[in-house]
Structure formats: C-alpha cells, structure tokens
Amino acid sequence: MASLRNAPPRLRNYFKDNYIPQICEALLCGLLVTCPEDPLKYLESMILAIIENGLENLLWDMCIHPSLKPKVRRLSETYLDELFGLDDQLMTPELMIKACTFYTGHLVKSHFGVWKEIAIPHANQEAIMAEKMDKAIAHDNFRCQKHIFNRWFSYTVKRRERLIATLLRLRHLFYTQKQRIILAKWKEKARHKSKKREDDLITKHELQLKKWKFKLSLEKPINIEGSFSDFGVTDKRIVFDISVLPDQAVVQIFVYLTFKDLVSCSQVNRSWMSMIQRGSLWNSIDFSTVKNIADRCVVTTLQKWRLNVLRLNFRGCVLRAKTLKSVSHCKNLQELNVSDCPSFTDESMRHISEGCPGVLYLNLSNTTITNRTMRLLPRYFHNLQNLSLAYCRKFTDKGLQYLNLGNGCHKLIYLDLSGCTQISVQGFRNIANSCTGIMHLTINDMPTLTDNCVKVLVEKCPRISSVVFIGSPHISDCAFKALSACDLKKIRFEGNKRITDACFKSVDRNYPGISHIYMVDCKGLTDSSLKSLSVLKQLTVLNLTNCVRIGDIGLRQFFDGPASVKLRELNLANCSLLGDTSVIRLSERCPNLHYLNLRNCEHLTDLAIEYIASMLSLISIDLSGTLISNEAFCKTSLALEHLDVSYCAQLTDDIIKTIAIFCTRITSLHIAGCPKITDGGMEILSARCHYLHILDISGCVQLTDQILQDLQIGCKQLRILKMQFCKSISSAAAQKMSSVVQQQEYSSESPPSWFGYDSEGNPLEETHTKVKTYSEMIVKESLSSDDETPNSKHH
C-alpha cells in the first residue's frame, strides 16, 4: 500500500474526505520531533487533542511542542499526499526528466544558433547589403514623394478655395449689378406709375371740383337765419320704416344714442316707442350727457328699467339725495359713476350699498364721502374690483383701514387716489394690508407722495402692473428700484425732475415685460435712458414729451435695438435736439408704428418728412411747429386719418390740395396758425374729404364765411370745429355753424403775438426772435437741472 494512485476512486475519496494524510502527517511529525517515552500514550493524547480542535483546524506541526517546532517553510499541503499517491498535481520523476531534457535542448539550440551566426559568415553578405540599400532608397523615395504630394495637395486645395471665392465674388458682383439694373428699371416704372396715378387723381379731382362748383351754383345761397336743411331741398320724400329691420340691427343703431335721444325717439310714434322698449338698450344709462335733468325723470327711468340696468353714470349731475336713493332699486347694477356729484353723501352710499351688492366698478371721485362710506365698502361690496377715490379729501387714514374689515376688498384690482393729499405713510400701509391684489394704481396731484409710500405699497402688493404718478415731484429713482419687485407693464410719470437715467439702468432685468412708458416732462432723462430702453422686446408705447435732453445719438441707439420692432406709438413732442438722422432711422426700424408726434422739432427738414411719408403704417402724425413744406408730405400716406401741421406758417393751399387728393380718409385735421391758407384750399378739402370729423383752423386769418358753406355741404360728418382768431369769419356765420356741429370754438380777435404774425398774416420778426430765445432758455434750463437738484442722484 505504498501508493494509492491505482486504487479505486471510492478509497481515494475516503482518504481525502476524512483527512487521513493530514492526521498521519501531524502524528508522525510529533513523534519524530518530540520522541516521547511512551509513544502510545502520546498518540492517544494527540488524537484526543485533534478531536477537540476538529479536523478543519488540523496543522502538520500541531503535535509538536511550541519550543520544539522547526522553522521551515511548507511546500505543499502535506508530504503524505505524495506517499499515498493522492496529489495528482505534484511533479513526477518522469515529468521532471522530460522537462529537464526539453529545457536543455532549447538552450543548446538557441546558443548554437547564435554561435553559428557569429562564427560562420554568410557567403552572400554583399547581396544582402545591396538588397537592404535598395529597400532603404525605395523607402526614402516614397517618403519624399509622400511629402511632395502632401505639399501639392495643400496647394491645390488652397488654389481651389481661392478660385471658388473669386467665382463667388464675381457672382455677387454680377447679381448686384443685375439687381441695380432691375431696381433702376423698377424705380423708373414705379415713378412713372406713381406719376400716372397722381395725374389720374388730379384729373379726377378736377372733374369732381367742376361738379362741386356746378352744384354750388345750383344751390341756394346760405341763409344765416335758416337751418341746415335748406341746403338739401328735394321734391321727393324718401319713406323708410326702421321697424322692419331685425331686432339685432335696431339695437345696434339705437345703442349709439344718448339718453336724451332715446327719450326723443320714444316720442316719435308707437312703432318707435316699441323699438325703444327693448331691454338691452337700457343696460347702460348715461345721465351725465343731459344738462339740468329732472329728478322725476331719473326716478321714473330707474324704476321702469331697474332689472335691466347694469351701468349708471351720474357724473356731474346735480340731484337731490332722495333721487340718488332710487339707484338702490337696480339690483343687478355692476358699474356706478357718481363723480362730481355735490349731493352725493354717506347716506346715499348707505342706501346704494344695501340694494346693489353686486357692484364691480365704483367711481366716487370728487364727492364729500367720509369714513362712514369707507366702512360700508368692505361690508357690502365683496366683489368690488375698480374703486376711484380721486379728490375725496374728507376720509382719513383710518377710513382706509376699514377696507380690511369683514371680507374686505381683497378683490380690488384698480385704485385711484389722485389728489387725496390727506393720506400719510400710515394710510398707504393700511391700503397695502387691505388691498393686496391691486394691479393698477393711479396717484396724481399728490405732492406729499414720497419714495417711502411707494415702498410700503410694493411690499404688500407685488401684483402691481400699472402705476401712474403725475404731479408727484418727490418721487425719485428709489421708487423705481422698489417697483422692480413687481411685474410692471405700464408706468407713467409727468413733471418730475428727480428721475434720472439711473431708473432705466437695468430695465431689461427689472421690467422685462413692460409695454407702455410715459415719461413726460422728465428733464433728467438723456440719451443713456434710450440706450437702456432699446432692449425691451415688448415695448409698444413710448412717450417722451418735453424730455428736451434727448437727441439723435440716443434715438439711433434705441431704434437699433429690438424695442423698435413692436413700437406702435411714439411721442417726441418738444424734443428740440431731434434731427433728420434719427427720423430716417425711425422710418427703417419701426414697421408697426401707427402714431407719431414730432411737434416743435424745429431741426427737422423736408428730408426727414419724406422718410416719414414713406411709412405706410402711420395713421396719425403731428408735425405742428416744424419746417414742413408743401411738397414733402402726404402723397404716399393714403391711410392717414389724423394730421396736425399747426403753426407751420410756411404752408399754403398746396398742402391742402395734396391732402384732398391723396388722403381722402382723413378724419382729423389741424392747420391752426397757418395764415397762408385761403378759401380756395378749403373748398378743395370740402369737395374731397367727406369723412372729416375734427377741423382746427384757428389763426387762419384769410378764411371767410364761404368755407362754412363748403363745409356744410361737403363735410357732413364734421363734429368739432375750432375757429379761434379768425377775424374774417363773421359771428353770424359762426352762430349758424354752431347748430350743425356738436362742439365749436370761435373768436374774431386778432391772433396773439406768439403766433408769429399779425391780423393780415404778415410775420412779426421781433416776436419770432423772442419766442426763439424763450425756447432756447427752456433747453438751457433743462440742461442745468442737475445743478438745481444735486442730491437727487443720491436718494
């Protein structure tokens, strides 16, 4: 049993599973090293120790005393595995002989090969060297060819790129020249077509003017004591019954009538009375248009239509307190305006609040209400959204505190406190605590308003989107900084010298969605403000009237930014530093501009006016006080509806003729202070502009009574007529005309000296110089405003 290599697997596994070789090894090592006197007792004690420790913890030196343990390194798990033939992985003598033979043969072969290479020289050494040289030369040639090819390839690529760039430049030059030729031909054709259109319009105008004059020759002369019906006398009478129209059409017609007109229509006949009885016509009743209305009429009307009335307007009506109590019968009332009613008191408010709890809009401006009314508002008007307390000076800060009682006025989104000078900082704090949802705030004519008041409001009212501060000189840039916490859409300041360019320094970050900016008469603003405003992408309305320090540089920077794209209304009145350069840029960068005001911009010439005339989007233009000439305007402004060229003393009848031919849709025309306009020009205007509603001819000293007859026949839609300082128009003709129009201003006095000419239209050189000097003084005063308020920039 010297070896178990050829033993059955069962026996071999038995020896391995029961650790037989390890047990034997440990016992034999102990016997060999310890050499006990009684080997059997020693083996017995060691076997018991092995049993206690377990076979898993068995070591080969476990049976040797620690002091006698040899310091040898273990090579295998157990030496007895080899004896018993249990270690299949151990090296056998046969394998050792084979490995040694292989290793010796490998060493002999490798060393003999090296010796052979060194000891025995090759017979064809020169051939080998020649072959190597050929390979080296071929490799070097290939490397040179590769380098040369790369250089040639780079050269051809660059040459091709230059050739392509040259061809592109030639193509660009070709197309540019071609476009110039096409544009020149197009301009020539457009000029020819425009000239032909002008000739056709002039021819048509001449034909209409002949018909007009022929018609005037057949008409009866104007009768001062007659009526307007004398001009349209016909033999045939047109009969038309309006009652046959659909109900919706009838309502659309009668809805434009005033309260007085509706009452008059109801008295025509029974058919008209039945049409007036439609309830939708009485949803809105405006008593303010009737002068000296009887209390009985008001009470009767409200009692009859109490279920239909939604909106009532008593503005300026002098009524008894008992009459105002009848408003309480209108249970469905939503809007009530009792502004400027001297008889409206707290008692009247008590009756209305008890009977009309659904009011959404309430205007109490300039009334005598006190804290009693302020206590009623939160108690009854839980859905109140719009409240105006302008110029109500009898309530106190405590009255504003009442707004927070009960359910409060937490749905209020619009508040007007203009002229309420009795309100202190505590009052604004009460407003902020009571009306946290305010979005639109108007505070005009309040000199006591300070930056602290604005800060108090902003802290509790972050939803403010619109502020109007007119007549508040103590507001400064600090208020603007406080308002940056709100998402402002509209700001309006007027007459403030403490506001500087600093307020708009970070406008794109503080007010990214702002669309309306009114900064009227704020002389601290310069071109830097316009540069800051140029980044506002949502800006649609910009009013910088009387901001006299603004010039061409700032405007050019503004128009170059994205703010000019959506701009719809621009007011630069009295910006005397404005020149042609910025106006030319305006015409190129403002495609959506509808309303433009350049009043008193004295440095503008015909060049700028021609560019303005090319803007087809313009509807209203104010060029009064400029140096506009007769030939520079209106020929391309076919959609123009409002035009103001007042105080342009150089204008003649030619511009009136141009307006009559090319601007037939015009509805408002102001030519005040134009002494060279005559009856001939107004005759042409009356013959062509039939939609004219507003006409201002004040100071046109050469106009006579004849124009009134022409206006009555040709401009039948004329509503407002201003004839101040028209000495050639008689008072009798003016009196006759007053019965035709709704509003008329007339005086036959000589023009004042600031008009710049006398009663005959002759210029006053001395006065003109004085006016010019005064204008220059205003500019100089504004430029030195920083010296007057040195501390304004530090607040």
Side-chain angles (χ1 to χ4, degrees), residues 348-619:
S348 305
M349 193 68 230
R350 184 180 66 83
H351 289 285
I352 295 174
S353 59
E354 292 175 355
C356 309
V359 172
L360 303 177
Y361 170 88
L362 182 60
N363 192 338
L364 303 175
S365 303
N366 199 19
T367 57
T368 58
I369 62 167
T370 63
N371 289 346
R372 291 178 56 191
T373 295
M374 304 299 290
R375 188 190 292 268
L376 296 173
L377 296 180
R379 184 181 301 175
Y380 294 99
F381 300 136
H382 300 156
N383 298 318
L384 188 63
Q385 296 180 0
N386 292 49
L387 176 62
S388 178
L389 300 173
Y391 304 100
C392 297
R393 296 192 172 100
K394 291 193 175 182
F395 68 87
T396 63
D397 293 342
K398 190 172 184 179
L400 295 172
Q401 188 177 3
Y402 290 151
L403 296 177
N404 201 25
L405 297 177
N407 294 328
C409 296
H410 300 298
K411 294 184 179 181
L412 200 65
I413 61 175
Y414 174 86
L415 181 62
D416 188 352
L417 297 174
S418 301
C420 299
T421 55
Q422 76 278 14
I423 301 177
S424 64
V425 177
Q426 182 60 39
F428 284 102
R429 188 173 288 108
N430 295 337
I431 295 173
N433 294 329
S434 306
C435 311
T436 56
I438 290 180
M439 299 178 63
H440 307 282
L441 181 64
T442 301
I443 306 178
N444 299 332
D445 298 332
M446 189 177 290
T448 58
L449 185 67
T450 62
D451 294 338
N452 291 332
C453 300
V454 178
K455 291 179 182 178
V456 167
L457 286 172
V458 171
E459 288 176 358
K460 295 295 183 66
C461 305
R463 297 179 59 190
I464 293 178
S465 62
S466 173
V467 292
V468 180
F469 297 144
I470 298 178
S472 301
H474 298 293
I475 296 293
S476 68
D477 296 336
C478 296
F480 269 88
K481 186 176 180 180
L483 289 170
S484 62
C486 306
D487 186 16
L488 284 183
K489 304 295 183 184
K490 175 182 176 181
I491 57 174
R492 183 169 184 174
F493 286 75
E494 185 172 339
N496 194 308
K497 294 184 179 181
R498 300 184 65 185
I499 295 177
T500 64
D501 295 331
C503 65
F504 293 129
K505 190 173 183 180
S506 302
V507 66
D508 57 330
R509 185 173 65 252
N510 296 335
Y511 317 109
I514 195 167
S515 59
H516 291 63
I517 296 180
Y518 299 84
M519 304 299 292
V520 179
D521 199 18
C522 296
K523 295 181 174 62
L525 301 181
T526 65
D527 290 339
S528 298
S529 295
L530 287 173
K531 183 179 180 180
S532 302
L533 295 176
S534 63
V535 298
L536 298 176
K537 297 181 180 181
Q538 305 299 326
L539 189 64
T540 58
V541 177
L542 179 62
N543 190 333
L544 298 175
T545 301
N546 289 338
C547 296
V548 294
R549 301 178 68 179
I550 291 175
D552 287 339
I553 297 176
L555 285 171
R556 283 200 304 271
Q557 293 175 340
F558 173 78
F559 293 134
D560 288 337
S564 61
V565 177
K566 291 187 178 181
L567 196 64
R568 182 172 49 87
E569 179 179 341
L570 179 62
N571 193 331
L572 299 173
N574 298 325
C575 296
S576 56
L577 300 179
L578 182 65
D580 292 346
T581 308
S582 55
V583 174
I584 294 173
R585 194 62 178 156
L586 177 150
S587 64
E588 298 172 351
R589 297 285 299 172
C590 300
N592 298 311
L593 191 65
H594 295 334
Y595 304 92
L596 178 62
N597 190 336
L598 298 174
R599 175 188 293 263
N600 294 332
C601 295
E602 302 172 350
H603 296 290
L604 298 182
T605 65
D606 285 350
L607 178 63
I609 305 302
E610 288 178 1
Y611 275 91
I612 294 174
S614 65
M615 300 177 66
L616 302 180
S617 61
L618 283 177
I619 297 175

Side-chain angles (χ1 to χ4, degrees), residues 298-315:
V298 175
V299 174
T300 304
T301 303
L302 294 180
Q303 288 180 349
K304 183 176 182 179
W305 303 105
R306 60 185 181 276
L307 299 179
N308 301 92
V309 175
L310 300 177
R311 294 174 292 274
L312 282 178
N313 188 353
F314 290 100
R315 182 178 181 180

Side-chain angles (χ1 to χ4, degrees), residues 167-179:
L167 291 175
L168 290 176
R169 285 196 298 269
L170 291 174
R171 182 185 297 178
H172 176 70
L173 292 174
F174 172 76
Y175 283 120
T176 302
Q177 187 64 23
K178 186 177 179 180
Q179 288 176 356

Side-chain angles (χ1 to χ4, degrees), residues 730-742:
S730 63
S731 58
Q735 181 66 28
K736 166 63 177 65
M737 194 64 185
S738 63
S739 62
V740 177
V741 297
Q742 294 181 356

Side-chain angles (χ1 to χ4, degrees), residues 286-298:
D286 189 358
F287 292 108
S288 64
T289 59
V290 184
K291 298 179 180 179
N292 301 324
I293 187 171
D295 293 78
R296 182 179 178 182
C297 178
V298 175

